[in-house]
Amino acid sequence: MLQLPYETMTGMAHSLFFALWPQPDIRADLFGAASRVLGGRERKGERRIASTRYHLTLAYLGRYVDRLEHEIGQAVLAAEQVRMPGFVLDLDRVGHFGDEVLWLGCTTCPQPLQQLHAHLCERLQTHGFKLKTDSTLFVPHVTILRRPAPPRTGTLTSPVHWRVDRFSLMHGVLGNAAGYRVVRTFSLEDS
């Protein structure tokens, strides 16, 4: 039986998703890039994302209330079927989703990242998850700021080079400031 990283108290809303969860050195590089983009201070109304929450979402499984054992079990079975080599991801762009989110992303999504996303979503669907799988909806990004005023775009002068050799099933409790917890990590094959 899988043990959940948070207590599953009745009525609490939980989120489950798969993500690239950065190693400490990459997390530090992301924080440095975000600091250069954002400068020394936040503008009124902006909310900087703590570096402990940085991740790149591969597949969002949804929000749940109460017990999660079945969903986690099915997600783990699906992820165990994903077989592909690791790859390098270069985050070299600053972008935004309207006036809600400012992010670090890539000018061109590398083929291996697209394949990882597609293979994972395909396996998840066979295990009963209903996902939006339109590849045009997949915009790989690491959120660094909420409610940017005004939104900014551009290229990073020093891209973040991320060697991707694993992905993780993540769990969060909505409204919990502690952040996300890794439920399980899945290794990609050595390339």
Side-chain angles (χ1 to χ4, degrees), residues 15-168:
S15 63
L16 286 175
F17 59 97
F18 281 96
L20 300 182
W21 188 250
Q23 300 289 62
D25 59 331
I26 300 302
R27 191 171 298 282
D29 291 347
L30 290 167
F31 179 77
S35 295
R36 287 187 294 279
V37 168
L38 300 175
R41 61 184 176 85
E42 295 172 26
R43 296 179 178 127
K44 186 176 180 177
E46 293 182 333
R47 186 170 55 92
R48 190 169 181 167
I49 303 301
S51 64
T52 57
R53 296 177 70 89
Y54 288 168
H55 66 277
L56 190 151
T57 301
L58 293 169
Y60 182 72
L61 305 182
R63 291 182 178 183
Y64 301 91
V65 176
D66 303 328
R67 310 298 293 181
L68 299 171
E69 286 86 354
H70 175 76
E71 290 80 6
I72 289 175
Q74 291 303 301
V76 167
L77 289 173
E80 288 176 335
Q81 297 172 351
V82 173
R83 301 277 186 264
M84 63 176 289
F87 55 92
V88 174
L89 172 63
D90 288 325
L91 299 177
D92 61 355
R93 178 176 167 219
V94 178
H96 62 91
F97 297 131
D99 59 359
E100 289 299 313
V101 172
L102 187 72
W103 46 259
L104 303 178
C106 41
T107 301
T108 303
C109 180
Q111 188 69 23
L113 180 56
Q114 291 175 354
Q115 289 174 337
L116 176 57
H117 167 71
H119 290 185
L120 179 59
C121 288
E122 186 178 284
R123 300 306 182 276
L124 287 165
Q125 286 179 317
T126 65
H127 285 272
F129 291 94
K130 299 191 183 341
L131 305 173
K132 296 177 184 176
T133 57
D134 179 350
S135 62
T136 61
L137 297 177
F138 180 56
V139 179
H141 66 280
V142 175
T143 300
I144 60 171
L145 187 73
R146 296 246 182 235
R147 294 183 295 279
R152 309 169 240 344
T153 59
T155 56
L156 294 176
T157 54
S158 298
V160 175
H161 302 287
W162 186 345
R163 173 78 185 136
V164 177
D165 60 0
R166 67 194 69 192
F167 63 100
S168 299

